[in-house]
Amino acid sequence: WAYFWIMGSRGARGCLLIPACGLSLTAFLAMPEPRRGSPRAPMLSFSLLLLLALTAAVVVWLPWDPDLASSGPYLYGSYYRSAMERSSSGLGSAVRQRGELVFSHEGPDSLVTVRRSAGGLLSLQVNGKTDASTGGDLKTQALTAHLPLLVHNPEVDTRSRVLIVGLGSGVTAAAALTHPAGQVDVIEISPGVVAAASLFKGTTGDLGADPRMRTIPGDARAHLLYAQAGSARYDVIASQPSNPWIAGQAILFTREFFALAADRLAPGGLMCQWLQGQGLPAEDFRSILATFAGVFPHVSLWEESTAGGDYLLIGSKDPVRIDERA
């Protein structure tokens, strides 16, 4: 619990400073009492206190660049290297070419940032990786709601309920609200993402002003597992986690998670799964498709070609009639 408290209140720098000072102080207090008259005693005490002071000073005055902390070198390293070679600049300058950092939130679960590029486009990063933007994959974000709602219910039905797994920039939720849905629940585990979504109002509008919109903080699996069955039946469940190869995301592409979603669908309901093909080996892609089809008897695969490598899976326990006129 100490980590969650420190990270939530003091960030990564606090996670370095407080334990370092605590360990130094513990070493000083635990030092065995020297023999009387030993000339080493004052020197040892002074050394430990000096170590404590130097540790605190280094962490406090250590340059802490939010741009570098959220740069995601594990994914964008080749881009930075090319940018540095082109402009003969340092790493910091190459990172800032991705855009101006306008939002940063450190939490025990993730580091969430928002950047604004020179063209005015906004992008949302989680631990350095861009997961939503007002360009690029904007169309796919919207289709994740539009497609299942059109397939499920091309006619007006104010009783339909929608669950969206992952808030992101809020574009998917905003798209769902353009349909006559009775309620749109968005389950989001990261408080930083919820806070960052407010910066995308120029694209999504004020989501909080729509009484049909409800943001639920927490884990999607727990929500599907423990929500009361009578009040948690959804006509459409749209799941949009990050790429399957990102740490912690693969569990949202498992048979167990798909089965939980299927159990919470109302009669005739369907699930839409955003599957990012970028960086995903072909055998893993086929495995996810087979897993999804192993839960839902009726499956269709839709490719969003303009963004490149993005696919939408539509699954249902009942036959789906697609009205092309919708």
Side-chain angles (χ1 to χ4, degrees):
W1 292 107
Y3 164 76
F4 290 100
W5 177 78
I6 296 173
M7 191 67 186
S9 59
R10 295 292 181 265
R13 178 172 289 195
C15 284
L16 293 174
L17 174 62
I18 296 176
C21 292
L23 289 173
S24 300
L25 182 60
T26 301
F28 174 74
L29 296 176
M31 182 181 65
E33 183 178 355
R35 288 178 297 179
R36 181 175 300 177
S38 173
R40 299 175 58 188
M43 182 58 70
L44 185 58
S45 299
F46 174 77
S47 299
L48 286 173
L49 286 175
L50 180 62
L51 176 63
L52 174 63
L54 288 175
T55 301
V58 167
V59 176
V60 170
W61 282 289
L62 182 71
W64 196 265
D65 190 336
D67 280 293
L68 292 179
S70 61
S71 61
Y74 64 95
L75 185 59
Y76 304 111
S78 59
Y79 167 83
Y80 298 140
R81 182 170 59 249
S82 299
M84 292 167 64
E85 292 173 351
R86 288 194 306 268
S87 59
S88 300
S89 60
L91 177 60
S93 176
V95 170
R96 278 180 272 277
Q97 289 183 26
R98 292 179 63 192
E100 174 193 4
L101 196 68
V102 296
F103 175 88
S104 180
H105 179 279
E106 281 187 298
D109 58 317
S110 59
L111 169 62
V112 180
T113 52
V114 176
R115 284 181 166 84
R116 179 182 288 111
S117 68
L121 296 179
L122 291 176
S123 59
L124 170 73
Q125 295 82 39
V126 178
N127 294 329
K129 178 189 176 297
T130 298
D131 277 330
S133 71
T134 56
D137 58 2
L138 179 64
K139 183 177 179 181
T140 310
Q141 297 172 58
L143 278 175
T144 303
H146 286 315
L147 180 61
L149 283 166
L150 288 172
V151 170
H152 170 262
N153 186 20
E155 299 177 356
V156 175
D157 183 358
T158 57
R159 298 168 299 171
S160 60
R161 298 187 63 199
V162 180
L163 174 67
I164 299 174
V165 178
L167 175 63
S169 62
V171 168
T172 304
L177 291 170
T178 63
H179 295 261
Q183 182 175 327
V184 176
D185 290 344
V186 180
I187 182 78
E188 175 55 57
I189 197 170
S190 173
V193 171
V194 175
S198 62
L199 277 72
F200 291 83
K201 284 184 178 180
T203 301
T204 64
D206 189 0
L207 297 177
D210 195 313
R212 297 174 296 162
M213 170 77 176
R214 182 175 66 156
T215 302
I216 304 172
D219 176 72
R221 295 167 301 157
H223 176 75
L224 291 173
L225 183 61
Y226 298 114
Q228 294 181 358
S231 60
R233 297 291 175 179
Y234 295 99
D235 298 287
V236 167
I237 296 177
S239 181
Q240 52 173 4
S242 189
N243 301 58
W245 44 265
I246 293 292
Q249 301 301 313
I251 199 168
L252 298 179
F253 293 88
T254 60
R255 171 182 289 272
E256 290 76 13
F257 179 73
F258 294 150
L260 281 175
D263 288 341
R264 289 294 177 262
L265 287 175
L270 51 83
M271 180 180 185
C272 178
Q273 176 68 57
W274 184 351
L275 177 57
Q276 305 90 342
Q278 305 94 334
L280 190 65
E283 57 270 24
D284 292 341
F285 186 87
R286 289 193 294 267
S287 176
I288 294 174
L289 291 181
T291 302
F292 192 81
V295 173
F296 295 100
H298 304 277
V299 175
S300 60
L301 174 65
W302 303 68
E303 181 182 10
E304 205 292 279
S305 58
T306 58
D310 285 306
Y311 300 87
L312 296 175
L313 289 168
I314 299 292
S316 176
K317 294 183 288 186
D318 306 307
V320 177
R321 180 182 62 86
I322 298 178
D323 187 348
E324 297 179 358
R325 296 170 299 175

